[in-house]
Amino acid sequence: MNLESTLEDLEAQGYFASQIKPEQTASSAPSRLVRISFEYEIADQYLASPILGSNFVGGFSANQKSPKWHAINLNNITHIESLAGRTLLETTASLLQIVEQHFLQASLAIGFRESRVVGKVIAIDGNCFRFESQDYRLLWIPESSVSDLVVENLSAHFKD
């Protein structure tokens, strides 16, 4: 499944609709693309269909062949620039809440400043992700330690 059809599927399902409260006027349109700049990384990242959460910015990794939904901790970002559209869709939800509501048991990667683990979140315990890695290790990962999170195969996650 390509990125465009995945976006259409998510929009049709009203994905994040219960959390997002866009404040639009006739002269403002939701942003379709943002550039994310980091203090410690040389390369900027681009996210399509971005949303701004209470502690993250998330969207689809632009220029990727497979649909990967990427969330980045706001503490790691120096600036967000809207490239297409004027306003970001916003939600009061945290990354922990988004994962609990939409991505439990989904294959994903959690990045830290110096490393990355791949597996799935099997539960939420307080402010921690209970995470089972690909090599079957059970980890408790505090939300505050997550640098970024990537849902590896979003189209497989939403197949009926």
Side-chain angles (χ1 to χ4, degrees), residues 96 99-100 103-106 108 110 117 119-133 137-143 146 149:
L96 197 76
V99 170
E100 183 175 39
F103 299 124
L104 284 180
Q105 302 296 326
L108 51 85
I110 293 180
V117 292
K120 60 186 174 184
V121 174
I122 57 175
I124 303 297
D125 289 332
N127 287 326
C128 294
F129 298 104
R130 189 177 339 152
F131 190 82
E132 184 180 307
S133 68
R137 290 181 295 146
L138 190 57
L139 309 169
W140 277 262
I141 302 171
E143 179 185 30
V146 174
L149 181 144

Side-chain angles (χ1 to χ4, degrees), residues 1 154-160:
M1 183 179 283
L154 192 61
S155 60
H157 178 66
F158 283 104
K159 283 185 180 175
D160 293 324

Side-chain angles (χ1 to χ4, degrees), residues 25-34 81-89:
T25 64
S27 64
S28 70
S31 181
R32 300 299 289 165
L33 183 67
V34 293
E81 178 184 0
S82 180
L83 301 174
R86 296 179 183 227
T87 60
L88 281 174
L89 293 177

Side-chain angles (χ1 to χ4, degrees), residues 39-140:
E39 184 175 359
Y40 299 107
E41 292 184 31
I42 296 172
D44 291 344
Q45 290 190 18
Y46 296 85
L47 296 178
S49 299
I51 61 168
L52 180 62
S54 66
N55 62 351
F56 73 97
V57 63
F60 292 92
S61 299
N63 301 324
Q64 297 287 320
K65 292 182 181 181
S66 63
K68 292 183 179 184
W69 191 80
H70 195 159
I72 303 166
N73 187 322
L74 288 176
N75 291 332
N76 299 322
I77 296 172
T78 57
H79 117 226
I80 301 169
E81 178 184 0
S82 180
L83 301 174
R86 296 179 183 227
T87 60
L88 281 174
L89 293 177
E90 293 186 36
T91 177
T92 58
S94 68
L95 183 57
L96 197 76
Q97 292 167 324
I98 295 296
V99 170
E100 183 175 39
Q101 294 172 12
H102 301 287
F103 299 124
L104 284 180
Q105 302 296 326
S107 176
L108 51 85
I110 293 180
F112 310 99
R113 185 165 301 267
E114 299 292 325
S115 63
R116 181 169 292 291
V117 292
V118 177
K120 60 186 174 184
V121 174
I122 57 175
I124 303 297
D125 289 332
N127 287 326
C128 294
F129 298 104
R130 189 177 339 152
F131 190 82
E132 184 180 307
S133 68
Q134 283 182 323
D135 59 358
Y136 303 105
R137 290 181 295 146
L138 190 57
L139 309 169
W140 277 262

